[in-house]
Amino acid sequence: QVQLVESGGGLVQAGGSLRLSCAASGRTFSTYIMGWFRQAPGKEREFVTAISWSGGTYYADSVKGRFTISRDNAKNTVYLQMNSLKPEDTAVYYCAARASSSVYYTPNGYNYWGQGTQVTVSS
């Protein structure tokens, strides 16, 4: 069992930055694919980025070049650095864990979820 707790969301102006953190419980954190998804009001939950146990990273086209995912296996934590934020990035951001060695780009591929953290970007 893995429990995920996100933090770091908030309100920021367009062009600003935020850093999200996701702290995970469990001794097998380093073997999980870790991902970030987001869900805006009235929209489906969508893939943002993911990182493999070895540090391989994957990004949605909409955030490529602006967002950076990283992980610290010693601290059981994954991070999402978000730069050059846009109003369309406004959403609840969720951390997710996948008990597999292969990356998955849809929510149903992930076994564990955090409670979400709100990110609001004002224009």
Side-chain angles (χ1 to χ4, degrees):
Q1 190 77 2
V2 175
Q3 291 186 325
L4 304 173
V5 179
E6 301 101 334
S7 60
L11 173 65
V12 64
Q13 288 189 330
S17 298
L18 280 175
R19 188 194 196 203
L20 306 183
S21 299
C22 173
S25 65
R27 292 176 292 178
T28 57
F29 170 81
S30 62
T31 66
Y32 283 79
I33 298 287
M34 298 300 298
W36 287 95
F37 287 75
R38 66 187 182 187
Q39 189 166 18
K43 295 188 176 181
E44 294 187 350
R45 194 169 296 189
E46 65 174 3
F47 173 81
V48 176
T49 180
I51 187 168
S52 70
W53 65 270
S54 61
T57 56
Y58 309 82
Y59 296 94
D61 288 343
S62 58
V63 306
K64 204 170 292 183
R66 301 188 298 121
F67 290 11
T68 303
I69 189 172
S70 60
R71 67 190 297 165
D72 185 337
N73 289 336
K75 295 182 178 180
N76 279 14
T77 301
V78 63
Y79 304 98
L80 180 60
Q81 178 66 45
M82 304 185 294
N83 298 329
S84 301
L85 282 161
K86 304 175 181 179
E88 51 263 45
D89 295 318
T90 295
V92 177
Y93 282 71
Y94 296 91
C95 176
R98 170 172 164 79
S100 170
S101 60
S102 60
V103 174
Y104 215 77
Y105 298 94
T106 58
N108 60 358
Y110 288 76
N111 306 92
Y112 304 102
W113 290 87
Q115 82 287 352
T117 185
Q118 177 71 46
V119 171
T120 303
V121 184
S122 63
S123 57

